[in-house]
Amino acid sequence: MPVDAKYKTVATASGGGRDGKTALADGTMALQLTIPKELGGPGGDGANPEKLFALGYSACFLSAMRVASTQTRIKVPDGSTVTATIGIGPRSEGGFGITAALDVYLPGLPETDARKLAEATHGICPYSNAIKASVDVKTTTRA
């Protein structure tokens, strides 16, 4: 399905990928990358692709929830948060895959409305759309 991209950004990784550096072309962000101990690396304070994915997915999903709110007529309560947990590991078919779980906190919203809003958001969120064929996203809602 074609996408009419309204915004693009460019990043370049260097120095070995997961144990190198990554930087945005516009100079607004540069990060040292470190392989987690769980994947055989030294661990430490550096970033990794899963951390970056968790940051992006949680922010994108919360933003998309505001759009879904207008479609479902379910107001996103003040103080709402989305916490993304991203995992990586070997797949039974070979290679590596990711896991994703979203914890959607919607204070004071009835559980049925919270679930309905989260479900609608998955259809809008670009991250959810990008991974829906390959990752089973576990979504929990809390009020």
Side-chain angles (χ1 to χ4, degrees):
M1 171 183 318
V3 174
D4 179 19
K6 301 297 184 192
Y7 170 79
K8 294 180 183 181
T9 190
V10 177
T12 300
S14 61
R18 286 180 170 271
D19 60 350
K21 295 180 180 185
T22 190
L24 293 174
D26 67 6
T28 59
M29 186 183 304
L31 297 168
Q32 180 66 45
L33 302 173
T34 303
I35 300 172
K37 287 183 180 181
E38 297 84 350
L39 296 179
D45 293 335
N48 62 55
E50 293 70 39
K51 287 180 180 180
L52 299 172
F53 190 79
L55 288 166
Y57 199 3
S58 61
C60 188
F61 197 85
L62 184 57
S63 181
M65 195 175 306
R66 306 242 181 247
V67 176
S69 174
T70 62
Q71 295 177 356
T72 61
R73 295 185 175 21
I74 299 170
K75 184 181 182 302
V76 177
D78 290 339
S80 295
T81 61
V82 175
T83 301
T85 302
I86 303 298
I88 183 172
R91 297 177 339 133
S92 58
E93 302 87 357
F96 285 81
I98 63 169
T99 61
L102 298 178
D103 180 52
V104 180
Y105 175 58
L106 300 161
L109 200 63
E111 185 59 31
T112 55
D113 286 348
R115 279 195 308 272
K116 182 178 178 182
L117 184 57
E119 287 172 16
T121 302
H122 275 298
I124 294 167
C125 177
Y127 279 65
S128 291
N129 284 321
I131 65 173
K132 68 181 169 188
S134 60
V135 179
D136 181 22
V137 180
K138 307 289 185 211
T139 305
T140 56
T141 54
R142 298 181 297 119

